[in-house]
Amino acid sequence: MSRQSISLALGGGGARGIAHLGVLRVLEEEGIVPECIAGTSMGAVIGAMYARYRDTNEVERRIGDLVKSDFMDKAGLDSYASSKRIFHKKGLDHVLSRLRQNIQLARVFIRPGTIPVELLLEAMDYLIDDIDISELSIPFCAVATDLSEGKPVLFRSGPVRTAITASAAIPGVFTPLEYEGMKLVDGGASYLTPVPPVKQISNAPVVAVDVSKTLANAPFPDRGYGIFFRSGDIAMINYNAMLIEQADVVIRPDVASIHWADFYSYPEMIEKGYVAARSKLTEIDAVVHRESSLIRRWWERRKHKVKTSTS
């Protein structure tokens, strides 16, 4: 009988999801191999990468290669997280950066997304081999959302790059990914932290990692559009709270104040994930041993019944 492990539900949050790597590093150091991983958005990206390489240093190296590449400039993601970065730019660089930001944001009103999803697919060249999900060394599920039917799509097989691209296609930022007659967008529209999907594929205790934003760092809106968006955020936060209540252990890295597009801060986010996971090791150990004890007692009862029936 194998040692009981955990299942992982890695939530979405844009660049904040890189904190999942810090959580995985702690599990790696403790010799805890997840029975399965379900991921949403960046949780799917990090989860798939770890399920492929089983080495957090290799995953971090690949993330660094992407961030240092020309992808960020080509995609224009700087335009979303540039309020802090633009402030430090001077002269013409400041003007051009602000202009590009305004152009990117204006595209939301005339296109299905500001960035073609094909660019997101290109980013996967840096991150993970072009293989089938079935070839990953840990069972894996990526969560996306079918925009047409309004239903979650759980990728447990098929091309891994396609699955995690669909899961990470943030609505309004990336154009929807067309796949097998569906128009797929970010899995956060279905399960921001994918606890129910991971429960469908594993009976192991669920450790959920929540990297979603909070209202604490957002200024209170005084205009209609701000109130509209804040109301949507409240609905998402409350729904996500119901999802993570179903987990056995919840890890919340201190990343809520980091912008979802600030990929340059990835070392900081990894460290925050590491610290948060270290603080939860006692809880993780408790649920693992509790579950192991229940299985052991069931196994002993089963052996006793078999022995009695054959006597």
Side-chain angles (χ1 to χ4, degrees), residues 86-104:
I86 286 177
F87 180 79
H88 295 290
K89 292 184 178 182
K90 304 297 181 182
L92 183 59
D93 285 342
H94 176 94
V95 173
L96 292 176
S97 294
R98 180 62 72 183
L99 178 63
R100 183 168 187 177
Q101 181 185 45
N102 292 336
I103 291 172
Q104 283 285 81

Side-chain angles (χ1 to χ4, degrees), residues 48-98:
M49 292 175 72
Y50 187 74
R52 172 57 174 166
Y53 302 111
R54 295 277 293 273
D55 180 349
T56 55
N57 290 327
E58 174 65 11
V59 176
E60 182 174 359
R61 182 190 69 78
R62 287 172 174 265
I63 291 171
D65 286 347
L66 175 63
V67 171
K68 295 167 190 172
S69 73
D70 63 353
F71 169 76
M72 304 297 290
D73 187 58
K74 285 169 61 178
L77 284 174
D78 274 356
S79 302
Y80 292 91
S82 59
S83 55
K84 178 172 65 175
R85 297 186 179 281
I86 286 177
F87 180 79
H88 295 290
K89 292 184 178 182
K90 304 297 181 182
L92 183 59
D93 285 342
H94 176 94
V95 173
L96 292 176
S97 294
R98 180 62 72 183

Side-chain angles (χ1 to χ4, degrees), residues 81-193:
S82 59
S83 55
K84 178 172 65 175
R85 297 186 179 281
I86 286 177
F87 180 79
H88 295 290
K89 292 184 178 182
K90 304 297 181 182
L92 183 59
D93 285 342
H94 176 94
V95 173
L96 292 176
S97 294
R98 180 62 72 183
L99 178 63
R100 183 168 187 177
Q101 181 185 45
N102 292 336
I103 291 172
Q104 283 285 81
L105 295 177
R107 288 174 179 166
V108 174
F109 299 98
I110 58 175
R111 298 181 183 178
T114 64
I115 305 170
V117 77
E118 289 76 16
L119 269 181
L120 186 55
L121 270 170
E122 281 185 32
M124 301 307 163
D125 292 342
Y126 292 91
L127 299 179
I128 193 167
D129 299 330
D130 189 12
I131 60 174
D132 193 271
I133 290 173
S134 63
E135 297 178 66
L136 299 176
S137 60
I138 298 173
F140 172 75
C141 172
V143 182
T145 303
D146 182 359
L147 199 59
S148 300
E149 297 293 328
K151 295 179 180 179
V153 177
L154 307 183
F155 282 93
R156 296 181 60 187
S157 61
V160 68
R161 287 182 177 179
T162 298
I164 61 180
T165 297
S167 184
I170 302 171
V173 177
F174 296 101
T175 57
L177 177 68
E178 297 189 14
Y179 180 73
E180 294 188 351
M182 298 179 288
K183 290 184 180 295
L184 301 176
V185 295
D186 197 298
S190 297
Y191 298 114
L192 186 56
T193 308

